[in-house]
Amino acid sequence: MASGVESKGEEPTAKEKTLVKKAIALFDTFCNGRQCLDDFIKDASEDLEVSHLNMDPEHKMFILDIISGCSEYKSVLDAVIDVFYDQNYTWISRGDRSQFVIICYLATFALDEIGFEFFTNIVKSLDVRKMYTFMNFFLTNLTTWIQDEWNKIYDASYVEKNWIGPLLRWRPDIEVLVNQLSVGMTCASQLKKPAVRTTKPQEFAITRPKPRPLPMPEEIPVMEKTKPVPQSTYRPPKEMEILEELKQKNHQRSEVQPLLLIKDLIEGGHEPSSFLHWQEKMREKMLQEEMDKSERKHLEGYVSHDRAAVARIRMMERNHKAVQTIKEGKASLMRRYADKRMTEEKGIRVLMQHVAEGRKNSKDAKDKLMRFKQSIVREVSGESKKLLRQALEDSQAEMNKKFQLIREISIMESLPHLRANFYDDTETGGHKLLGEMSVAELKVRLSKIKATEQSKVQDKRKTIQEKRDKASAIAAAIKLGRQSLAPQRAKKAKLKEQVMQSDRNVALRKQHEELSQERQRQKEMEKSKAGPTSKKSTVLPLSCRILQQQHWCGELHQLFSRWVFQYFQ
């Protein structure tokens, strides 16, 4: 939104009226048509250039920004305008909707940019009564249902910060504008009414009335008597008497019970002690069977584990033999490859000897040619020698000059260049990456992350301390429970000892020991087999050792690269 369209006058000018009317007309055209926003803005810009040749670029941009902004925030503006029309549908026409949309947009989204004075002139350039009704409606319901409707469309914190907050800052000025509109509406209504002559009233000559007598005081109403507190409040409840009677009856019945037992015995009844003894014996038997079953399952689990371990060891032996076979085949292949390399190296040496002999023959030929040339030179006259010497001296002087120039250039190039590099930790590297940050911002974020981690550590320590306290309380409760169950544990230990001595469990235990001994023997045999082979040191050929070193260097490079990546990540 262009900010240079502010007006310094208090009353709306013709240019401001023209701007707002043109914006309303263009927005009506856009709403009634089916053209997309970008194409409409382009056509409207061309139309404004043709029809208004003297229009400032800022005024043109102001009109186009109003149209684009109203279309962008259509849902936000419609939420206000729809309810306004529902409340004032009796006297406001639907054809005036565009001007209310534009005023709502300017008040909500562009008031800080265009200035309140320019906004006031725009409002005053329109119908006073309509503007007063809308501004009063908007200001009254801003922080109630309007904010609630906007919160349904956008985030509540965003609405509060970017829309409601600025409007509340401008609220005193908007209230002054509403008051000015109210005064203007009143003045307009007064100017429209025709002047009517009014009669001047005159007082009648009437006698003054007598003062009225004082009214009689009202009678104070008599309150009804409250009901007295019932006597049951001070009496004990009947339930206590009933409980006491039941207690006495139970006591009397307990005193009479051994008399009844003896009578039952005399009449041929049986004593329950034998039944109780049999019941206790059966419980012990069932407990013993359960313990025998659990011990048997325990030993069977050990036996199955040992069998699996023996099978695994045998499988490892077979795999070890297969690996040894593969290693032997590999060693034979490496030996063949080393022999092949040795043969190739011998052929290369023979070829190098032939090349050296050829070079030696060419050197002898060059020596012969040089001696022949020297004999020719001796035959040349003394004058030719002088000319040659002079040419040689000239070429030598020119060569010395060139060498001197080259030396000076190399000295100049070798001089150090002063390159000042001023480091600023608040600037980014300029690599044009999305997440690029400066060193200062990295430090700030690192401090925040450290603070967050510290708070997490404190929370974890607090949680661990709570867990330790809870564990100590549980341990104390378990200790008390174990102390209370000590007699039962002693009884169970006795039964367990009887179960351990059963024939079936003794046989399973013996089988478990035999399998464990077999596993131990197999491990010792593996160690004895692995000992001598580990002490052997096979001497490989030179080419095999080079290949091994290259493979080891490649693995070391991969490990170092992985460690660097993990460190910087």
Side-chain angles (χ1 to χ4, degrees), residues 9 84 89 100 103 108 146 166 213 223 243 329 381 394 442 473 507 547 564:
F84 174 70
Y89 69 95
F100 296 119
I103 295 300
T108 308
I146 291 178
M223 302 297 292
L243 290 174
S381 62
D394 294 340
L442 285 172
L547 289 173
V564 170

Side-chain angles (χ1 to χ4, degrees), residues 144-193:
T144 56
W145 65 265
I146 291 178
Q147 186 174 1
D148 296 336
E149 290 294 325
W150 287 351
N151 290 340
K152 294 177 184 177
I153 303 172
Y154 287 84
D155 187 64
S157 60
Y158 180 83
V159 171
E160 179 67 23
K161 180 180 178 182
N162 296 294
W163 300 343
I164 302 298
L167 284 172
L168 292 178
R169 289 196 303 270
W170 288 106
R171 187 164 188 166
D173 298 330
I174 298 174
E175 289 177 353
V176 173
L177 175 60
V178 172
N179 293 332
Q180 292 176 0
L181 292 174
S182 176
V183 173
M185 186 174 62
T186 306
C187 295
S189 62
Q190 290 178 358
L191 291 173
K192 289 179 182 178
K193 290 182 180 179

Side-chain angles (χ1 to χ4, degrees), residues 427-440:
E427 293 183 356
T428 59
H431 302 295
K432 296 184 180 179
L433 300 175
L434 293 178
E436 189 174 6
M437 293 181 291
S438 62
V439 177

